Amino acid sequence: MVKTPLFIMVGGFLGAGKTTTVGRLARHFQGQGKRVVVVEDVTTTGGSAMKALAELRREGAEVVRVVTVVDRDEGATEFFAKEKLPFTAILEMDAFR
């Protein structure tokens, strides 16, 4: 049986509570065997995604990949490699130069 993926977008301004919301979502789906892909619009060093990842993991979610629309080429690739977490960038900053 093919499982239909569930997509939830969490957006907001700096300090709007996105990480807290991600934690609440993780608690809601805890124990349901959900695998999580974190998607960001722009990734610089990977720090923002890691805050969400830490919250998800704390609640027992299995994070399988981080995807970003734009990688600013400022260390995220290396950061996620150290974390042994697959990282995919749709575009890199070179595409804009």
Side-chain angles (χ1 to χ4, degrees), residues 1 7-9 22 26 33 35-37 41 43-44 49-50 55-58 83-84 95:
M1 180 168 94
F7 177 82
I8 299 173
M9 181 177 165
V22 165
R35 297 172 62 204
V36 178
V37 174
D41 55 353
T43 304
T44 304
M50 281 311 294
E55 189 68 28
L56 287 162
R57 287 174 171 163
R58 187 172 19 262
E83 294 290 320
K84 296 182 173 60

Side-chain angles (χ1 to χ4, degrees), residues 50-70:
M50 281 311 294
K51 287 179 186 174
L53 290 168
E55 189 68 28
L56 287 162
R57 287 174 171 163
R58 187 172 19 262
E59 296 299 333
E62 179 189 0
V63 180
V64 297
R65 177 175 297 277
V66 175
V67 176
T68 188
V69 177
V70 178

Side-chain angles (χ1 to χ4, degrees), residues 8 10 16-27 55:
I8 299 173
V10 178
K18 296 179 295 295
T19 301
T20 302
T21 300
V22 165
R24 288 181 180 153
L25 287 167
R27 278 190 291 283
E55 189 68 28

